[in-house]
Amino acid sequence: IKSNESMKQQIFNDYVDEVSHIFGIDKEMLFTKNKRRDIVSARYLVYYLCSLRPMSLVNIGDLMMENGYSIKHSTIHYGVDRVKQRILTDKDWNKSVKAILDEV
């Protein structure tokens, strides 16, 4: 049996793979301080998906840090909220989230 930490790491990695594929970006881009809209949206989507597992803000922050990206918990929380709003107003986002959840 895998430890809880390694399970969360695997789930996180799967989400990173799926999100970067859907957005058509290199997954390494998610862990750079790049502010390009598509990269920020993809990063927020990873936070959101992880929060559904449920992973805490601390877990998500630690997993991002393991990939070299330092992030404040308030920013993770903000990103999760932004995706929640997007899902309510954009059918394509809703479809993409469902597809990822079915895949992982």
Side-chain angles (χ1 to χ4, degrees):
I1 291 181
K2 283 185 171 186
S3 75
N4 193 30
E5 286 307 305
S6 69
M7 271 184 359
K8 293 217 183 298
Q9 177 77 55
Q10 184 59 54
I11 291 163
F12 175 82
N13 291 340
D14 290 346
Y15 285 148
V16 167
D17 289 344
E18 289 296 318
V19 168
S20 58
H21 175 75
I22 284 175
F23 278 81
I25 56 177
D26 291 334
K27 59 184 171 183
E28 292 77 25
M29 294 299 290
L30 292 176
F31 307 110
T32 64
K33 289 287 183 187
N34 195 314
K35 299 285 191 220
R36 218 172 68 199
R37 184 182 305 248
D38 60 335
I39 295 169
V40 171
S41 293
R43 205 179 292 132
Y44 286 176
L45 183 53
V46 170
Y47 303 159
Y48 173 78
L49 293 165
C50 289
S51 75
L52 296 178
R53 282 315 281 218
M55 289 184 206
S56 69
L57 298 178
V58 173
N59 287 140
I60 297 166
D62 288 349
L63 290 164
M64 292 299 289
M65 182 58 97
E66 285 175 24
N67 287 279
Y69 190 80
S70 176
I71 186 79
K72 292 179 184 166
H73 298 157
S74 59
T75 306
I76 297 169
H77 184 71
Y78 175 80
V80 170
D81 285 346
R82 293 287 301 155
V83 173
K84 285 178 183 174
Q85 289 303 313
R86 205 86 181 264
I87 288 169
L88 293 173
T89 59
D90 187 328
K91 286 185 178 121
D92 294 330
W93 266 75
N94 204 356
K95 252 192 257 182
S96 294
V97 169
K98 283 189 171 127
I100 294 169
L101 291 173
D102 289 344
E103 191 68 33
V104 173

XYZ file of all heavy atoms in Angstrom:
858
model
N 0.854 -1.195 0.000
C 0.000 0.000 0.000
C 0.890 1.245 0.000
O 1.837 1.334 0.767
C -0.939 0.008 1.229
C -1.970 -1.106 1.085
C -1.599 1.343 1.403
C -2.960 -1.177 2.221
N 0.525 2.179 -0.866
C 1.283 3.439 -0.929
C 0.952 4.307 0.270
O -0.155 4.267 0.786
C 0.897 4.219 -2.198
C 1.512 3.699 -3.453
C 1.147 4.626 -4.584
C 1.930 4.267 -5.828
N 1.714 5.220 -6.888
N 1.921 5.104 0.671
C 1.654 6.057 1.744
C 0.703 7.133 1.213
O 0.604 7.356 0.005
C 2.946 6.701 2.233
O 3.396 7.663 1.299
N 0.047 7.795 2.130
C -0.872 8.872 1.763
C -0.153 9.951 0.963
O -0.680 10.470 -0.021
C -1.504 9.454 3.031
C -2.683 10.349 2.724
O -3.374 10.145 1.732
N -2.916 11.330 3.564
N 1.084 10.277 1.389
C 1.857 11.315 0.699
C 2.172 10.923 -0.738
O 2.033 11.728 -1.647
C 3.156 11.611 1.456
C 2.950 12.406 2.725
C 2.162 13.688 2.508
O 2.550 14.503 1.666
O 1.134 13.872 3.184
N 2.601 9.683 -0.945
C 2.947 9.284 -2.315
C 1.696 9.154 -3.189
O 1.754 9.393 -4.386
C 3.777 7.999 -2.337
O 3.025 6.882 -1.944
N 0.558 8.807 -2.571
C -0.698 8.787 -3.338
C -1.061 10.194 -3.781
O -1.430 10.411 -4.929
C -1.846 8.214 -2.496
C -1.969 6.728 -2.611
S -3.377 5.965 -1.731
C -4.238 7.257 -0.920
N -0.962 11.151 -2.866
C -1.276 12.540 -3.211
C -0.313 13.055 -4.279
O -0.709 13.758 -5.189
C -1.238 13.428 -1.962
C -2.346 13.086 -0.978
C -2.895 14.288 -0.303
C -3.951 13.995 0.722
N -5.150 13.360 0.235
N 0.961 12.683 -4.170
C 1.964 13.075 -5.162
C 1.579 12.532 -6.543
O 1.633 13.251 -7.539
C 3.340 12.523 -4.750
C 4.436 12.809 -5.755
C 4.941 14.230 -5.686
O 5.342 14.681 -4.625
N 4.923 14.933 -6.785
N 1.150 11.277 -6.591
C 0.767 10.657 -7.867
C -0.469 11.338 -8.453
O -0.523 11.627 -9.647
C 0.511 9.156 -7.674
C 0.206 8.428 -8.960
C 1.337 8.545 -9.975
O 2.478 8.227 -9.670
N 1.032 9.028 -11.164
N -1.448 11.595 -7.623
C -2.669 12.277 -8.077
C -2.315 13.668 -8.607
O -2.765 14.069 -9.677
C -3.700 12.364 -6.929
C -4.242 10.965 -6.610
C -4.837 13.316 -7.282
C -4.937 10.855 -5.275
N -1.485 14.385 -7.861
C -1.034 15.716 -8.271
C -0.355 15.633 -9.639
O -0.663 16.405 -10.548
C -0.075 16.275 -7.214
C 0.551 17.593 -7.572
C -0.134 18.781 -7.375
C 1.839 17.646 -8.108
C 0.447 20.001 -7.698
C 2.422 18.861 -8.434
C 1.726 20.040 -8.231
N 0.565 14.687 -9.792
C 1.283 14.528 -11.064
C 0.326 14.206 -12.210
O 0.481 14.724 -13.320
C 2.349 13.441 -10.956
C 3.498 13.835 -10.058
O 3.730 15.014 -9.796
N 4.225 12.855 -9.567
N -0.670 13.365 -11.937
C -1.669 13.026 -12.970
C -2.451 14.273 -13.387
O -2.700 14.491 -14.570
C -2.633 11.949 -12.469
C -1.972 10.577 -12.314
O -0.846 10.385 -12.838
O -2.572 9.714 -11.651
N -2.844 15.084 -12.405
C -3.554 16.323 -12.722
C -2.685 17.269 -13.538
O -3.143 17.867 -14.508
C -4.035 17.034 -11.456
C -5.232 16.407 -10.788
C -5.394 16.467 -9.422
C -6.216 15.756 -11.532
C -6.506 15.909 -8.801
C -7.320 15.183 -10.920
C -7.452 15.267 -9.551
O -8.548 14.713 -8.944
N -1.431 17.404 -13.156
C -0.500 18.266 -13.896
C -0.398 17.792 -15.344
O -0.466 18.592 -16.282
C 0.885 18.313 -13.212
C 1.937 18.924 -14.129
C 0.811 19.085 -11.893
N -0.276 16.479 -15.536
C -0.179 15.921 -16.897
C -1.435 16.229 -17.714
O -1.348 16.684 -18.856
C 0.029 14.399 -16.852
C 1.418 14.007 -16.355
O 2.327 14.863 -16.334
O 1.584 12.830 -15.973
N -2.596 15.966 -17.134
C -3.865 16.177 -17.845
C -4.100 17.655 -18.162
O -4.499 18.007 -19.273
C -5.036 15.630 -17.020
C -5.104 14.124 -16.945
C -5.357 13.480 -18.288
O -6.187 13.985 -19.068
O -4.709 12.461 -18.571
N -3.881 18.511 -17.183
C -4.128 19.946 -17.373
C -3.175 20.517 -18.420
O -3.596 21.258 -19.314
C -4.008 20.711 -16.028
C -3.981 22.211 -16.255
C -5.166 20.329 -15.100
N -1.904 20.151 -18.338
C -0.952 20.689 -19.317
C -1.282 20.184 -20.719
O -1.150 20.925 -21.694
C 0.493 20.362 -18.924
O 0.686 18.979 -18.795
N -1.776 18.956 -20.809
C -2.190 18.419 -22.117
C -3.379 19.207 -22.684
O -3.356 19.631 -23.839
C -2.543 16.935 -21.980
C -3.089 16.333 -23.223
N -2.297 16.020 -24.306
C -4.355 16.018 -23.576
C -3.060 15.525 -25.277
N -4.308 15.514 -24.849
N -4.391 19.434 -21.867
C -5.589 20.157 -22.306
C -5.246 21.593 -22.725
O -5.760 22.099 -23.710
C -6.672 20.150 -21.206
C -7.338 18.780 -21.162
C -7.717 21.229 -21.451
C -8.340 18.611 -20.057
N -4.352 22.230 -21.981
C -3.973 23.612 -22.290
C -2.890 23.703 -23.367
O -2.579 24.790 -23.836
C -3.503 24.332 -21.018
C -4.620 24.865 -20.170
C -5.308 24.041 -19.299
C -5.000 26.197 -20.246
C -6.350 24.522 -18.521
C -6.036 26.692 -19.474
C -6.709 25.849 -18.612
N -2.310 22.564 -23.718
C -1.270 22.558 -24.744
C -0.004 23.277 -24.328
O 0.619 23.967 -25.133
N 0.360 23.115 -23.049
C 1.582 23.745 -22.549
C 2.479 22.675 -21.922
O 1.992 21.634 -21.472
C 1.290 24.855 -21.511
C 0.468 24.320 -20.341
C 0.581 26.028 -22.148
C 0.193 25.337 -19.248
N 3.774 22.940 -21.895
C 4.696 22.036 -21.206
C 4.401 22.090 -19.721
O 4.218 23.176 -19.161
C 6.152 22.465 -21.430
C 6.599 22.255 -22.862
O 6.035 21.382 -23.543
O 7.530 22.963 -23.291
N 4.385 20.916 -19.078
C 4.043 20.925 -17.650
C 5.046 21.713 -16.814
O 4.691 22.264 -15.785
C 3.840 19.517 -17.115
C 4.984 18.583 -17.222
C 4.550 17.212 -16.728
C 5.610 16.177 -17.015
N 5.171 14.855 -16.616
N 6.291 21.814 -17.297
C 7.286 22.608 -16.573
C 6.849 24.074 -16.470
O 7.222 24.766 -15.530
C 8.653 22.521 -17.265
C 9.303 21.146 -17.201
C 8.707 20.133 -18.168
O 8.135 20.527 -19.212
O 8.782 18.932 -17.862
N 6.066 24.539 -17.452
C 5.598 25.931 -17.447
C 4.709 26.233 -16.230
O 4.636 27.374 -15.779
C 4.831 26.256 -18.730
C 5.682 26.232 -19.981
S 7.021 27.426 -19.969
C 6.098 28.944 -20.118
N 4.031 25.218 -15.701
C 3.167 25.417 -14.536
C 3.978 25.823 -13.301
O 3.439 26.394 -12.362
C 2.379 24.150 -14.219
C 1.318 23.740 -15.224
C 0.696 22.416 -14.820
C 0.250 24.800 -15.347
N 5.260 25.499 -13.315
C 6.097 25.740 -12.147
C 7.084 26.882 -12.361
O 8.128 26.945 -11.745
C 6.835 24.440 -11.773
C 5.888 23.283 -11.612
C 5.877 22.248 -12.535
C 4.986 23.238 -10.565
C 4.999 21.190 -12.402
C 4.094 22.194 -10.419
C 4.107 21.158 -11.344
N 6.720 27.795 -13.265
C 7.517 29.000 -13.474
C 6.680 30.199 -13.023
O 5.457 30.093 -12.905
C 7.890 29.184 -14.965
O 6.694 29.385 -15.727
C 8.661 27.979 -15.504
N 7.315 31.311 -12.811
C 6.593 32.515 -12.372
C 5.942 33.242 -13.552
O 5.696 34.435 -13.492
C 7.554 33.470 -11.632
C 7.978 32.956 -10.282
C 6.837 33.055 -9.283
C 7.271 32.604 -7.897
N 6.145 32.541 -6.969
N 5.668 32.510 -14.604
C 5.058 33.068 -15.805
C 3.623 33.510 -15.510
O 2.845 32.764 -14.912
C 5.070 32.007 -16.911
C 4.788 32.584 -18.268
O 3.872 33.374 -18.433
N 5.574 32.177 -19.244
N 3.271 34.701 -15.937
C 1.934 35.259 -15.681
C 1.027 35.203 -16.904
O -0.035 35.829 -16.922
C 2.049 36.725 -15.232
C 2.830 36.907 -13.952
C 2.019 36.492 -12.756
C 2.704 36.917 -11.478
N 2.627 35.937 -10.436
N 1.454 34.469 -17.946
C 0.616 34.345 -19.136
C -0.728 33.734 -18.735
O -0.781 32.782 -17.952
C 1.342 33.449 -20.151
C 1.165 33.893 -21.572
C 2.030 33.117 -22.526
N 1.570 31.737 -22.613
C 2.333 30.747 -23.074
N 3.571 30.957 -23.458
N 1.853 29.519 -23.119
N -1.797 34.289 -19.272
C -3.150 33.914 -18.853
C -3.403 32.403 -18.903
O -3.971 31.835 -17.965
C -4.179 34.641 -19.709
C -5.607 34.379 -19.268
C -6.580 35.083 -20.165
N -6.284 36.511 -20.220
C -7.061 37.451 -19.717
N -8.190 37.127 -19.163
N -6.743 38.708 -19.804
N -2.995 31.743 -19.998
C -3.271 30.311 -20.097
C -2.502 29.507 -19.051
O -3.026 28.540 -18.497
C -2.986 29.780 -21.508
C -1.551 29.976 -21.950
O -0.863 30.893 -21.453
O -1.096 29.209 -22.827
N -1.299 29.938 -18.737
C -0.494 29.226 -17.741
C -1.078 29.433 -16.341
O -1.205 28.483 -15.567
C 0.985 29.658 -17.815
C 1.560 29.220 -19.169
C 1.785 29.081 -16.653
C 2.918 29.794 -19.484
N -1.472 30.652 -16.039
C -2.091 30.941 -14.742
C -3.404 30.159 -14.612
O -3.668 29.535 -13.574
C -2.342 32.456 -14.557
C -3.173 32.732 -13.318
C -1.015 33.200 -14.492
N -4.212 30.132 -15.657
C -5.477 29.383 -15.624
C -5.226 27.897 -15.409
O -5.938 27.241 -14.636
C -6.251 29.586 -16.922
O -6.683 30.919 -17.040
N -4.225 27.369 -16.076
C -3.885 25.947 -15.914
C -3.434 25.667 -14.479
O -3.849 24.672 -13.870
C -2.796 25.561 -16.913
N -2.607 26.554 -13.955
C -2.126 26.401 -12.574
C -3.306 26.428 -11.608
O -3.404 25.595 -10.702
C -1.152 27.543 -12.275
C -0.166 27.235 -11.195
C 0.784 28.399 -10.951
N 1.678 28.627 -12.059
C 1.918 29.822 -12.622
N 1.325 30.914 -12.178
N 2.758 29.934 -13.609
N -4.228 27.373 -11.796
C -5.413 27.459 -10.940
C -6.253 26.186 -11.031
O -6.807 25.723 -10.035
C -6.272 28.661 -11.334
C -5.744 30.011 -10.924
C -6.408 31.167 -11.312
C -4.597 30.155 -10.151
C -5.951 32.427 -10.941
C -4.132 31.415 -9.782
C -4.808 32.537 -10.180
O -4.360 33.774 -9.812
N -6.341 25.640 -12.232
C -7.125 24.413 -12.407
C -6.491 23.255 -11.635
O -7.202 22.452 -11.026
C -7.259 24.072 -13.892
C -8.115 22.852 -14.229
C -9.503 22.938 -13.594
C -8.236 22.707 -15.746
N -5.178 23.174 -11.628
C -4.502 22.133 -10.833
C -4.854 22.313 -9.351
O -5.196 21.345 -8.670
C -2.967 22.158 -11.043
C -2.262 21.256 -10.037
C -2.610 21.744 -12.471
N -4.822 23.549 -8.861
C -5.177 23.801 -7.454
C -6.602 23.322 -7.182
O -6.863 22.671 -6.170
C -5.115 25.297 -7.096
C -3.816 26.003 -7.333
C -3.794 27.387 -7.466
C -2.601 25.330 -7.421
C -2.603 28.078 -7.662
C -1.409 26.016 -7.628
C -1.426 27.387 -7.755
O -0.253 28.069 -7.961
N -7.508 23.682 -8.081
C -8.915 23.324 -7.906
C -9.096 21.809 -7.855
O -9.758 21.283 -6.953
C -9.752 23.926 -9.045
C -11.179 23.467 -9.026
C -12.095 24.017 -8.138
C -11.627 22.476 -9.893
C -13.416 23.592 -8.105
C -12.936 22.040 -9.868
C -13.832 22.603 -8.971
O -15.132 22.174 -8.941
N -8.512 21.115 -8.827
C -8.654 19.660 -8.887
C -8.114 19.003 -7.621
O -8.737 18.103 -7.062
C -7.951 19.106 -10.128
C -8.582 19.509 -11.458
C -7.621 19.226 -12.609
C -9.910 18.796 -11.671
N -6.966 19.475 -7.168
C -6.379 18.932 -5.939
C -7.295 19.178 -4.742
O -7.438 18.313 -3.873
C -5.011 19.541 -5.681
S -3.723 18.983 -6.812
N -7.934 20.346 -4.714
C -8.806 20.683 -3.580
C -10.018 19.753 -3.510
O -10.583 19.549 -2.446
C -9.257 22.142 -3.653
O -10.257 22.331 -4.638
N -10.405 19.170 -4.645
C -11.548 18.256 -4.663
C -11.207 16.886 -4.074
O -12.101 16.115 -3.750
C -12.047 18.043 -6.104
C -12.616 19.252 -6.829
C -13.011 18.864 -8.246
C -13.801 19.828 -6.070
N -9.927 16.547 -3.939
C -9.504 15.194 -3.560
C -9.808 14.757 -2.145
O -9.997 13.530 -1.981
C -8.030 15.016 -3.856
C -7.737 14.775 -5.331
C -8.644 13.788 -5.995
N -8.293 12.414 -5.711
C -8.374 11.450 -6.570
N -8.784 11.675 -7.780
N -8.074 10.227 -6.225
N -9.829 15.364 -1.109
C -9.446 16.751 -0.867
C -7.993 16.837 -0.390
O -7.582 16.075 0.468
C -10.385 17.166 0.259
C -10.604 15.909 1.046
C -10.493 14.766 0.052
N -7.293 17.764 -0.970
C -5.954 18.099 -0.490
C -6.055 19.484 0.146
O -6.774 20.338 -0.351
C -4.948 18.151 -1.642
C -4.601 16.814 -2.229
S -3.334 17.008 -3.495
C -3.670 15.575 -4.510
N -5.337 19.664 1.229
C -5.360 20.967 1.902
C -4.500 21.964 1.139
O -3.695 21.585 0.284
C -4.824 20.812 3.332
O -3.442 20.519 3.294
N -4.675 23.232 1.465
C -3.840 24.269 0.868
C -2.367 24.000 1.153
O -1.509 24.222 0.297
C -4.236 25.649 1.398
C -5.659 26.124 1.103
C -5.914 27.481 1.746
C -5.937 26.165 -0.382
N -2.085 23.476 2.348
C -0.708 23.147 2.713
C -0.177 22.032 1.810
O 0.943 22.122 1.290
C -0.606 22.740 4.203
C 0.777 22.228 4.540
C -0.972 23.920 5.100
N -0.984 20.966 1.600
C -0.572 19.871 0.698
C -0.260 20.402 -0.696
O 0.776 20.066 -1.282
C -1.681 18.820 0.538
C -1.901 17.938 1.731
O -3.053 17.641 2.047
N -0.856 17.507 2.392
N -1.163 21.200 -1.222
C -1.000 21.728 -2.584
C 0.258 22.602 -2.651
O 1.065 22.457 -3.574
C -2.250 22.517 -3.028
C -3.472 21.585 -3.071
C -2.019 23.162 -4.403
C -4.811 22.301 -3.169
N 0.429 23.468 -1.663
C 1.609 24.323 -1.614
C 2.894 23.513 -1.543
O 3.875 23.815 -2.230
N 2.884 22.443 -0.742
C 4.069 21.584 -0.618
C 4.383 20.891 -1.943
O 5.542 20.785 -2.344
C 3.867 20.529 0.473
C 3.894 21.119 1.883
O 4.268 22.302 2.032
O 3.514 20.394 2.823
N 3.354 20.409 -2.617
C 3.558 19.732 -3.900
C 4.079 20.697 -4.961
O 4.932 20.339 -5.777
C 2.264 19.061 -4.361
C 1.855 17.840 -3.519
C 0.402 17.471 -3.779
C 2.776 16.660 -3.782
N 3.572 21.925 -4.946
C 4.088 22.937 -5.874
C 5.557 23.233 -5.547
O 6.390 23.329 -6.447
C 3.264 24.223 -5.787
C 1.835 24.106 -6.306
S 1.698 23.671 -8.050
C 2.262 25.187 -8.824
N 5.879 23.342 -4.251
C 7.243 23.638 -3.822
C 8.205 22.517 -4.229
O 9.342 22.785 -4.620
C 7.280 23.849 -2.305
C 8.638 24.217 -1.785
S 9.289 25.714 -2.557
C 8.836 26.902 -1.340
N 7.744 21.279 -4.165
C 8.585 20.149 -4.585
C 8.975 20.273 -6.059
O 9.958 19.694 -6.489
C 7.865 18.821 -4.344
C 7.838 18.418 -2.883
C 7.018 17.164 -2.641
O 6.849 16.352 -3.572
O 6.547 17.000 -1.495
N 8.188 21.014 -6.813
C 8.480 21.248 -8.229
C 9.138 22.612 -8.448
O 9.217 23.093 -9.576
C 7.196 21.135 -9.051
C 6.734 19.698 -9.175
O 7.236 18.961 -10.008
N 5.802 19.290 -8.320
N 9.552 23.244 -7.353
C 10.306 24.490 -7.462
C 9.467 25.756 -7.552
O 9.966 26.818 -7.882
N 8.171 25.649 -7.225
C 7.290 26.807 -7.321
C 6.750 27.162 -5.940
O 5.959 26.424 -5.359
C 6.130 26.513 -8.278
C 5.305 27.728 -8.619
C 5.743 28.630 -9.579
C 4.104 27.974 -7.986
C 4.987 29.756 -9.899
C 3.336 29.089 -8.303
C 3.791 29.968 -9.258
O 3.047 31.075 -9.576
N 7.174 28.308 -5.431
C 6.728 28.764 -4.123
C 5.438 29.563 -4.287
O 5.377 30.483 -5.094
C 7.822 29.639 -3.502
O 7.373 30.158 -2.282
N 4.421 29.190 -3.515
C 3.108 29.828 -3.665
C 2.478 30.039 -2.289
O 2.595 29.188 -1.416
C 2.195 28.962 -4.586
C 0.873 29.640 -4.898
C 1.941 27.595 -4.005
C 0.973 30.671 -5.946
N 1.828 31.177 -2.092
C 1.146 31.462 -0.832
C -0.195 30.723 -0.810
O -0.847 30.557 -1.840
C 0.879 32.956 -0.699
C 2.122 33.778 -0.532
C 1.749 35.250 -0.432
C 2.983 36.101 -0.362
N 2.684 37.512 -0.583
N -0.613 30.342 0.377
C -1.903 29.650 0.521
C -3.060 30.521 0.051
O -4.022 30.015 -0.520
C -2.113 29.205 1.972
C -1.085 28.226 2.430
N -0.779 28.032 3.744
C -0.279 27.393 1.748
C 0.171 27.132 3.848
N 0.496 26.733 2.655
N -2.950 31.827 0.281
C -4.020 32.732 -0.145
C -4.159 32.729 -1.674
O -5.272 32.847 -2.203
C -3.770 34.159 0.365
O -2.528 34.644 -0.111
N -3.055 32.563 -2.380
C -3.099 32.521 -3.845
C -3.741 31.224 -4.326
O -4.502 31.219 -5.295
C -1.678 32.675 -4.434
O -1.100 33.865 -3.901
C -1.709 32.745 -5.944
N -3.439 30.120 -3.640
C -4.070 28.837 -3.990
C -5.580 28.962 -3.791
O -6.370 28.578 -4.658
C -3.490 27.685 -3.148
C -1.998 27.507 -3.455
C -4.262 26.391 -3.406
C -1.270 26.575 -2.499
N -5.969 29.512 -2.648
C -7.397 29.698 -2.344
C -8.068 30.570 -3.408
O -9.164 30.249 -3.891
C -7.538 30.321 -0.951
C -8.940 30.456 -0.496
N -9.719 29.367 -0.145
C -9.717 31.546 -0.352
C -10.921 29.807 0.181
N -10.949 31.119 0.072
N -7.406 31.649 -3.792
C -7.924 32.541 -4.832
C -8.106 31.772 -6.153
O -9.133 31.901 -6.824
C -6.967 33.723 -5.023
C -7.366 34.640 -6.153
C -8.360 35.596 -5.979
C -6.755 34.542 -7.404
C -8.734 36.435 -7.021
C -7.123 35.374 -8.444
C -8.108 36.317 -8.253
O -8.495 37.141 -9.289
N -7.107 30.978 -6.518
C -7.177 30.207 -7.759
C -8.331 29.219 -7.758
O -9.042 29.074 -8.756
N -8.537 28.544 -6.635
C -9.650 27.597 -6.504
C -10.978 28.334 -6.708
O -11.851 27.880 -7.452
C -9.613 26.877 -5.131
C -10.895 26.086 -4.886
C -8.388 25.968 -5.040
N -11.121 29.490 -6.078
C -12.351 30.284 -6.223
C -12.569 30.734 -7.669
O -13.698 30.721 -8.161
C -12.325 31.502 -5.295
C -12.574 31.138 -3.843
O -13.028 30.001 -3.577
O -12.317 31.991 -2.972
N -11.495 31.146 -8.338
C -11.605 31.584 -9.740
C -12.116 30.440 -10.620
O -12.954 30.655 -11.488
C -10.246 32.067 -10.268
C -9.720 33.327 -9.625
C -10.427 34.582 -10.039
N -10.333 34.765 -11.470
C -11.197 35.451 -12.202
N -12.216 36.046 -11.630
N -11.038 35.565 -13.494
N -11.603 29.241 -10.397
C -12.040 28.095 -11.203
C -13.496 27.755 -10.899
O -14.274 27.481 -11.815
C -11.113 26.870 -10.997
C -11.685 25.643 -11.695
C -9.718 27.177 -11.517
N -13.893 27.834 -9.638
C -15.300 27.588 -9.288
C -16.216 28.531 -10.072
O -17.253 28.110 -10.598
C -15.531 27.771 -7.787
C -15.010 26.646 -6.943
C -15.252 26.944 -5.458
C -14.669 25.879 -4.581
N -14.773 26.223 -3.148
N -15.841 29.813 -10.133
C -16.627 30.793 -10.885
C -16.644 30.456 -12.371
O -17.681 30.546 -13.029
C -16.061 32.205 -10.679
C -16.302 32.771 -9.309
C -17.782 32.803 -8.957
O -18.607 33.228 -9.745
N -18.110 32.312 -7.782
N -15.503 30.094 -12.899
C -15.364 29.783 -14.327
C -16.257 28.599 -14.716
O -16.880 28.597 -15.766
C -13.892 29.462 -14.597
C -13.407 29.673 -15.970
C -12.967 31.132 -16.158
N -12.513 31.362 -17.497
C -11.246 31.327 -17.868
N -10.308 31.066 -17.002
N -10.923 31.571 -19.111
N -16.273 27.575 -13.851
C -17.073 26.376 -14.119
C -18.565 26.735 -14.199
O -19.298 26.183 -15.014
C -16.816 25.310 -13.035
C -15.415 24.720 -13.233
C -17.863 24.207 -13.073
C -14.952 23.859 -12.082
N -18.986 27.662 -13.358
C -20.393 28.069 -13.347
C -20.792 28.841 -14.598
O -21.947 28.815 -15.007
C -20.685 28.927 -12.115
C -20.611 28.219 -10.766
C -20.758 29.233 -9.633
C -21.666 27.132 -10.660
N -19.833 29.545 -15.200
C -20.176 30.441 -16.305
C -19.690 29.973 -17.672
O -20.055 30.558 -18.686
C -19.585 31.847 -16.042
O -18.168 31.743 -15.915
C -20.162 32.453 -14.773
N -18.871 28.914 -17.715
C -18.268 28.496 -18.977
C -18.407 26.986 -19.159
O -17.767 26.195 -18.461
C -16.782 28.908 -18.978
C -16.095 28.685 -20.307
O -16.471 27.739 -21.026
O -15.160 29.444 -20.616
N -19.258 26.590 -20.114
C -19.525 25.167 -20.351
C -18.266 24.395 -20.737
O -18.111 23.221 -20.395
C -20.573 25.005 -21.449
C -21.969 25.350 -21.010
C -22.971 25.047 -22.113
C -24.362 25.338 -21.642
N -25.068 26.318 -22.444
N -17.367 25.031 -21.479
C -16.140 24.350 -21.898
C -15.258 24.012 -20.698
O -14.668 22.932 -20.642
C -15.355 25.204 -22.903
C -16.106 25.361 -24.214
O -16.867 24.435 -24.577
O -15.935 26.397 -24.868
N -15.177 24.938 -19.750
C -14.402 24.653 -18.539
C -15.048 23.504 -17.774
O -14.354 22.616 -17.295
C -14.328 25.899 -17.652
C -13.100 26.692 -17.926
C -12.875 27.488 -19.006
C -11.918 26.752 -17.135
N -11.632 28.048 -18.922
C -11.027 27.616 -17.786
C -11.542 26.170 -15.930
C -9.767 27.900 -17.272
C -10.295 26.465 -15.421
C -9.421 27.320 -16.094
N -16.343 23.553 -17.669
C -17.076 22.506 -16.965
C -16.778 21.146 -17.600
O -16.502 20.163 -16.910
C -18.575 22.822 -17.026
C -19.334 22.183 -15.898
O -18.788 21.442 -15.103
N -20.611 22.481 -15.832
N -16.824 21.084 -18.938
C -16.546 19.847 -19.671
C -15.113 19.370 -19.443
O -14.875 18.177 -19.241
C -16.753 20.072 -21.171
C -18.000 19.399 -21.717
C -17.965 19.417 -23.221
C -18.912 20.498 -23.701
N -19.031 20.610 -25.127
N -14.170 20.305 -19.489
C -12.759 19.954 -19.292
C -12.513 19.383 -17.898
O -11.813 18.385 -17.741
C -11.866 21.173 -19.501
O -11.914 21.595 -20.838
N -13.111 20.009 -16.902
C -12.946 19.526 -15.524
C -13.521 18.128 -15.389
O -12.875 17.234 -14.827
C -13.599 20.501 -14.507
C -13.671 19.883 -13.124
C -12.824 21.805 -14.481
N -14.716 17.918 -15.935
C -15.321 16.580 -15.871
C -14.450 15.532 -16.565
O -14.273 14.427 -16.072
C -16.717 16.604 -16.481
C -17.746 17.207 -15.565
C -19.150 17.023 -16.085
C -20.134 17.459 -15.024
N -21.104 18.404 -15.453
N -13.895 15.899 -17.718
C -13.040 14.971 -18.468
C -11.804 14.591 -17.661
O -11.425 13.414 -17.607
C -12.618 15.592 -19.803
N -11.209 15.565 -17.009
C -10.022 15.281 -16.183
C -10.388 14.408 -14.996
O -9.697 13.436 -14.686
C -9.353 16.582 -15.700
C -8.777 17.366 -16.894
C -8.252 16.278 -14.675
C -8.334 18.772 -16.571
N -11.492 14.714 -14.349
C -11.912 13.925 -13.178
C -12.224 12.490 -13.572
O -11.948 11.561 -12.818
C -13.118 14.585 -12.501
C -12.821 15.910 -11.799
C -14.109 16.559 -11.313
C -11.851 15.712 -10.636
N -12.778 12.299 -14.762
C -13.045 10.935 -15.247
C -11.755 10.189 -15.569
O -11.686 8.973 -15.446
C -13.939 10.972 -16.496
C -15.362 11.387 -16.177
O -15.755 11.364 -14.998
O -16.096 11.734 -17.127
N -10.748 10.943 -15.996
C -9.471 10.361 -16.434
C -8.577 9.958 -15.263
O -7.925 8.928 -15.291
C -8.732 11.386 -17.311
C -7.536 10.857 -18.038
C -7.880 9.858 -19.124
O -8.952 9.991 -19.761
O -7.079 8.949 -19.335
N -8.554 10.793 -14.215
C -7.599 10.567 -13.107
C -8.229 9.773 -11.992
O -9.287 9.948 -11.565
C -7.045 11.918 -12.583
C -6.190 11.725 -11.349
C -6.257 12.600 -13.681
